[in-house]
Amino acid sequence: MVEFAPLDLPDTPRLSDNITHFARALRRAGLPIGPGRVGDALRAVEAAGFTEKKDFFWTLQACFVTRPEHRAIFAQVFRLYWRDPRFLEHMMGLLLPAVHGVQEDRQPQAGEKRAAQALLDNQAPTLPAALKSENETEIEVNAFQTMSPNERLRQLDFEQMSTAEMVQAKSMLKKLKLPVKPLISRRTVAASLGRWVDRPATLRSAIRHGGDLKNLHMRKSCIRWPDLVILCDISGSMRQYSRMVLHFAHAVANQKGAGWAKVHSFTFGTRLTNISRQLQTKDVDAALAAAGSEAKDWDGGTRIAACLHLFNRDWSRRVLGQGALVLLITDGLETDQGSDLSREMQRLRLSARRLIWLNPLLRWEKFEVKAGGIKAMLPHVDSFRSAHSIASLQELANVISEPEDYGEKRRLL
């Protein structure tokens, strides 16, 4: 039977102090709350009063929440802060995945982990003494002056990261950029130092001046930014990698001035799901929660050919018509026998400006092209790269605009 830690209930309740501490917790969770909002909340509670907990909830939400994506964070912090008798259990379960029987009872909701960390002030909880074994031998590895923590995290495989390391990795992915070079358009615009003479404009100017040709009107080419299409495998074998890649996709989709005209994101496992609209939500927790609700085939099988067929038939002309670059993230382990995967890959390659395949299996030094799905897909991609760590994604950012980059394709073919 689980014993809960006792809550320290104050002898003299001080509502204003608790509202102030609650606002600090919301600020640590990412909500933009200043002293003015705290004053407004105090005055609102004093004016409105409350007889039920829901009245208190809506009063504080009206004062502290200004954006739709902050509602989930506010609800989680409110639930944990205002006297949930089991909030210590929830926080330990969220931050200590080694404690079994807590996290398995329920699926974490959007913003719940961030709310727990905000209330703990980003301090790691300590394990209860009863959970430590007396015969446990502690092994210390001296890694002094071998590799900095950030460098080690950059090289670490996503699948081998602890919960704390994944939080740091997501923070690093949020700052990672995917620069791209602009494209030269066929359209032209008037320019004083243009490349071509605008003959109609020049003749009209001469007519206005009685037939005298006083100056030449020039035009130059327009530039435009390409679209980016991300196709991410969310099957069981890609579970850990697809979640981190979707964090990366959310960061790219919400970076202003990153160069991409539009970012379209799709997930596939046994079905194809368009999550572009969900990833446009500014808050990453709310965005991924919405994407998870939209895609119903998480951690299932992999029907790459069937999903690519649906994309080529229903979405290719809509999202690839402007010379888009395609990032295909999958391990290539097709489970649908008898499918024409090679034909669908060829059709996808012909529709895209450039097709880059990111495969986490490339992290193995002795990787060989033996699986049938990989054999069918590899000849039709422009570049074949790994996507198992932050360093591999940074290498992708460095070469994504290089048309001569083939990654590991030529070595493996």
Side-chain angles (χ1 to χ4, degrees):
M1 180 177 179
V2 179
E3 295 183 359
F4 301 106
L7 294 175
D8 296 329
L9 296 175
D11 298 331
T12 56
R14 303 173 65 180
L15 183 60
S16 58
D17 291 346
N18 282 321
I19 292 177
T20 304
H21 290 303
F22 175 63
R24 290 174 182 171
L26 290 175
R27 187 161 54 244
R28 285 195 293 268
L31 272 65
I33 296 176
R37 295 268 183 91
V38 178
D40 294 341
L42 294 175
R43 287 189 291 272
V45 172
E46 183 180 5
F50 59 89
T51 56
E52 297 181 359
K53 189 175 182 179
K54 65 179 183 181
D55 299 333
F56 187 52
F57 174 87
W58 293 115
T59 302
L60 293 183
Q61 176 173 296
C63 298
F64 290 140
V65 177
T66 56
R67 301 181 65 87
E69 57 266 27
H70 292 160
R71 292 174 183 169
I73 301 296
F74 175 86
Q76 293 299 336
V77 176
F78 184 92
R79 182 180 65 84
L80 295 174
Y81 187 88
W82 294 103
R83 296 305 183 232
D84 183 344
R86 302 179 63 189
F87 81 96
L88 283 180
E89 178 201 13
H90 293 322
M91 285 188 284
M92 291 291 292
L94 288 170
L95 300 179
L96 292 175
V99 180
H100 299 290
V102 174
Q103 199 173 23
E104 297 169 352
D105 294 338
R106 52 191 286 277
Q107 294 293 330
Q109 300 177 9
E112 195 172 20
K113 183 179 295 184
R114 190 192 301 181
Q117 290 176 336
L119 290 177
L120 288 174
D121 199 11
N122 294 322
Q123 295 180 1
T126 57
L127 278 172
L131 297 179
K132 296 182 179 178
S133 174
E134 296 179 355
N135 299 325
E136 183 178 355
T137 302
E138 186 174 357
I139 300 176
E140 294 185 0
V141 178
N142 186 6
F144 183 66
Q145 289 184 345
T146 55
M147 186 179 293
S148 66
N150 287 339
E151 182 61 23
R152 175 183 172 277
L153 190 62
R154 284 183 64 252
Q155 304 293 339
L156 194 61
D157 193 310
F158 290 142
E159 201 171 39
Q160 300 174 356
M161 289 182 177
S162 64
T163 304
E165 290 169 341
M166 290 188 66
V167 173
Q168 297 178 30
K170 291 173 183 176
S171 177
M172 295 177 68
L173 287 176
K174 186 178 180 180
K175 302 175 183 176
L176 191 60
K177 296 183 178 179
L178 202 60
V180 62
K181 295 180 180 178
L183 303 177
I184 304 299
S185 174
R186 293 180 180 179
R187 295 183 178 181
T188 60
V189 293
S192 59
L193 299 177
R195 183 178 179 182
W196 299 281
V197 176
D198 188 349
R199 295 178 181 176
T202 302
L203 291 178
R204 287 194 297 268
S205 176
I207 293 173
R208 286 195 295 269
H209 293 86
D212 295 336
L213 187 62
K214 292 188 175 181
N215 52 9
L216 293 177
H217 291 261
M218 310 296 290
R219 298 186 73 84
K220 68 176 183 180
S221 298
C222 296
I223 62 171
R224 64 178 180 85
W225 298 97
D227 294 344
L228 177 66
V229 177
I230 300 175
L231 295 169
C232 184
D233 184 351
I234 57 172
S235 61
S237 59
M238 287 285 296
R239 175 173 52 187
Q240 198 68 23
Y241 301 101
S242 57
R243 295 183 190 280
M244 299 302 289
V245 169
L246 288 180
H247 270 269
F248 175 60
H250 176 268
V252 174
N254 289 276
Q255 284 175 355
K256 294 182 178 179
W260 300 101
K262 294 181 181 178
V263 179
H264 304 278
S265 302
F266 297 82
T267 62
F268 67 92
T270 57
R271 66 181 67 179
L272 181 72
T273 306
N274 184 0
I275 58 169
S276 303
R277 182 172 55 83
Q278 285 78 11
L279 288 191
Q280 290 177 357
T281 305
K282 296 296 182 183
D283 187 89
V284 63
D285 290 330
L288 295 186
S293 301
E294 187 71 16
K296 306 297 184 185
D297 53 343
W298 285 88
D299 301 340
T302 311
R303 301 179 63 213
I304 304 176
C307 295
L308 289 184
H309 175 73
L310 292 177
F311 178 81
N312 291 328
R313 188 191 65 184
D314 299 337
W315 292 98
S316 177
R317 293 183 179 178
R318 303 188 205 180
V319 300
L320 300 181
Q322 300 298 320
L325 186 146
V326 178
L327 288 181
L328 178 63
I329 303 105
T330 178
D331 52 13
L333 302 180
E334 172 72 294
T335 58
D336 194 1
Q337 300 296 331
S339 60
D340 196 354
L341 180 56
S342 178
R343 180 177 179 276
E344 298 300 334
M345 282 294 296
Q346 182 183 26
R347 184 176 175 184
L348 176 64
R349 171 62 191 92
L350 293 176
S351 302
R353 182 179 186 83
R354 185 169 167 78
L355 176 57
I356 300 177
W357 181 8
L358 304 180
N359 191 336
L361 295 181
L362 270 178
R363 67 187 186 277
W364 306 112
E365 294 181 358
K366 296 182 180 180
F367 173 81
E368 296 181 1
V369 183
K370 292 184 177 180
I374 300 178
K375 286 182 180 179
M377 296 172 64
L378 188 56
H380 303 290
V381 300
D382 294 298
S383 181
F384 188 43
R385 290 191 156 274
S386 178
H388 68 285
S389 63
I390 297 175
S392 61
L393 294 179
Q394 288 178 334
E395 291 176 1
L396 169 68
N398 295 331
V399 301
I400 194 170
S401 296
E402 300 296 333
E404 300 300 326
D405 173 68
Y406 301 99
E408 300 293 326
K409 177 183 176 181
R410 291 189 169 181
R411 181 179 66 85
L412 296 172
L413 277 181

